[in-house]
Amino acid sequence: DAKTTQPNSMESNEEEPVHLPCNHSTISGTDYIHWYRQLPSQGPEYVIHGLTSNVNNRMASLAIAEDRKSSTLILHRATLRDAAVYYCILRDGNQFYFGTGTSLTVIP
Amino acid sequence: KAGVTQTPRYLIKTRGQQVTLSCSPISGHRSVSWYQQTPGQGLQFLFEYFSETQRNKGNFPGRFSGRQFSNSRSEMNVSTLELGDSALYLCASSIGLAGAREQFFGPGTRLTVL
């Protein structure tokens, strides 16, 4: 089964970069790696996704290991609004596996 | 552009009853996925519909079913409700199949089973 493993929680100081890791050692060759985040009392929000190459958008960067067994979400300058649970998601056969996510605390 | 809407936002039912939840995707989106979120199990995938056909399905019992209409709106039905079905049910839409596409989530329907 394609599963993801993430640290339960992480802390970051405001305005510093944050690297959120995700292990997905059983990923198949055609599965995209997705990252979403969920703020309290809201539905998940798309952050970024990629297949093999590193990806950048206005919210974050996604660094994918060459063997694709791990990836890292990079928030370049954490703000208080980035405090959320971050999920690394894979397709597992015909369904999507969210995992338990990483709760990010941003310290002012 | 309007976001994903879900109705109702809150629902209280009793064991044994059935419930239907509704999801209206973003205009132009053809894929609708459903998820269940509970404190104990986290976010779990229920199923995905694309062009009125169920394309993917999670590991839930047959009491959980869904359908998608020609306008891409989707409904999810849970029959013979159990206490453990109490959860936040989230719907997400995407332009194409969700595996390679960005999904947009609605605010969810909070179902309480008494």
Side-chain angles (χ1 to χ4, degrees):
Chain A
D1 292 348
K3 295 290 192 287
T4 61
T5 304
Q6 299 177 254
N8 287 332
S9 62
M10 291 184 65
E11 284 187 353
S12 173
N13 293 320
E14 195 176 8
E15 299 191 5
E16 289 189 354
V18 184
H19 291 234
L20 298 165
C22 180
N23 288 320
H24 31 77
S25 59
T26 58
I27 188 173
S28 70
T30 57
D31 286 345
Y32 283 80
I33 301 158
H34 296 252
W35 283 83
Y36 284 75
R37 69 182 186 183
Q38 187 171 24
L39 279 67
S41 303
Q42 294 186 26
E45 173 189 32
Y46 170 82
V47 178
I48 201 166
H49 77 286
L51 184 61
T52 56
S53 304
N54 294 344
V55 183
N56 299 293
N57 65 21
R58 63 175 180 82
M59 288 182 69
S61 295
L62 176 60
I64 301 173
E66 194 170 334
D67 63 5
R68 299 205 333 123
K69 293 185 176 181
S70 65
S71 62
T72 301
L73 177 70
I74 302 165
L75 306 179
H76 297 287
R77 288 181 69 224
T79 69
L80 296 179
R81 290 169 50 188
D82 292 323
V85 177
Y86 287 78
Y87 294 97
C88 166
I89 303 155
L90 294 183
R91 181 194 291 272
D92 174 16
N94 63 349
Q95 61 177 299
F96 297 97
Y97 181 75
F98 261 75
T100 54
T102 297
S103 179
L104 175 65
T105 300
V106 180
I107 302 168
Chain B
K1 201 178 215 184
V4 177
T5 58
Q6 293 187 244
T7 56
R9 292 293 311 278
Y10 302 90
L11 205 49
I12 299 175
K13 292 286 188 179
T14 57
R15 279 180 299 175
Q17 287 187 309
Q18 75 166 18
V19 66
T20 299
L21 311 181
S22 181
C23 173
S24 293
I26 292 172
S27 178
H29 285 196
R30 296 170 64 191
S31 166
V32 173
S33 297
W34 288 89
Y35 297 86
Q36 180 196 66
Q37 186 170 30
T38 60
Q41 298 297 319
L43 268 158
Q44 293 185 284
F45 172 75
L46 280 155
F47 28 64
E48 178 184 17
Y49 285 86
F50 182 84
S51 295
E52 302 179 65
T53 302
Q54 187 181 90
R55 297 303 182 101
N56 295 293
K57 189 177 189 305
N59 295 326
F60 278 81
R63 300 186 296 108
F64 292 82
S65 63
R67 58 178 176 168
Q68 186 180 34
F69 302 95
S70 58
N71 61 358
S72 293
R73 190 178 69 84
S74 177
E75 287 182 347
M76 190 193 90
N77 184 78
V78 188
S79 63
T80 319
L81 283 166
E82 301 176 359
L83 295 179
D85 297 333
S86 294
L88 179 67
Y89 289 88
L90 293 157
C91 150
S93 75
S94 58
I95 290 176
L97 285 171
R101 296 287 190 171
E102 172 183 359
Q103 295 184 72
F104 295 83
F105 282 79
T109 294
R110 173 75 62 185
L111 171 65
T112 301
V113 182
L114 302 175

